[in-house]
Amino acid sequence: MKSLIIVDVQNDFLPGGALEVSKGDEVISAINQLQREYDLVVATQDWHPNDHLSFGSQHPEHNLFDVIDLNGFAQKLWPNHCMQGTLGAALADTLDQHRIEAVFRKGLEKEIDSYSGFFDNGKRKVTGLHGYLQSRGVTEVHVCGLAADFCVFFTAMDALELRYRTAIISRATKAIDRGEFMNKKEQFVQKGGMLL
Ligand SMILES: [Zn+2]
């Protein structure tokens, strides 16, 4: 059984949003069309408290996009984004949600970021996505959404680690930094991932 995982198609990651991914809106029509090809469609949603420590606003001594050590993990400092209950955190209006059976929220813990839809960055807590996919008999996952070089990539890498046959759907994702995504795509393929 094959599942589509739609990562973080939220207003803050679209053009005009707090952490916009250039042309991020262009993935939505591709994702809407793709959904009918899957037995199961699920989504993830970045969902931070206002004082999340991945926000540059919590570290006035640093600049945005600096990388700092946060509780032993390298943390890039982002603009405030996807704050719980805000319009920025909502899934995009234009995303067809009829076939999305479950949404897995991540990034709720102030102390640690969560790029992957499966675990936080320290792998201390699970989101429940793996258990859900297992309970539905899923053996293959295809990952799309935003942003390619962060949450899509880390979700796909964890899926491989969890022994799913895993693909990233290139036409249904966009990166914050395209060069960065090129490097990460190589890592993903080397680890056994497929690019569709
Ligand atoms: Zn975030």
Side-chain angles (χ1 to χ4, degrees), residues 13 46 48 81 113:
F13 295 124
D46 213 24
H48 296 306
H81 64 279
D113 212 353

Side-chain angles (χ1 to χ4, degrees), residues 168-193:
I168 292 175
I169 304 178
S170 305
R171 72 177 189 284
T173 188
K174 290 267 189 252
I176 294 172
D177 178 334
R178 279 200 286 175
E180 174 90 23
F181 185 48
M182 296 286 268
N183 294 335
K184 285 179 169 167
K185 267 202 290 205
E186 268 179 42
Q187 286 178 47
F188 174 67
V189 169
Q190 272 171 14
K191 205 174 167 179

Side-chain angles (χ1 to χ4, degrees), residues 8 10 13 19 46-48 52 54-55 75 78-79 81-82 106-107 113-115 151:
D8 297 5
Q10 294 169 257
F13 295 124
L19 179 42
D46 213 24
W47 194 251
H48 296 306
H52 196 262
S54 71
F55 294 166
Q75 176 66 53
W78 303 109
H81 64 279
C82 297
K106 60 189 183 62
D113 212 353
S114 188
Y115 292 144
C151 295

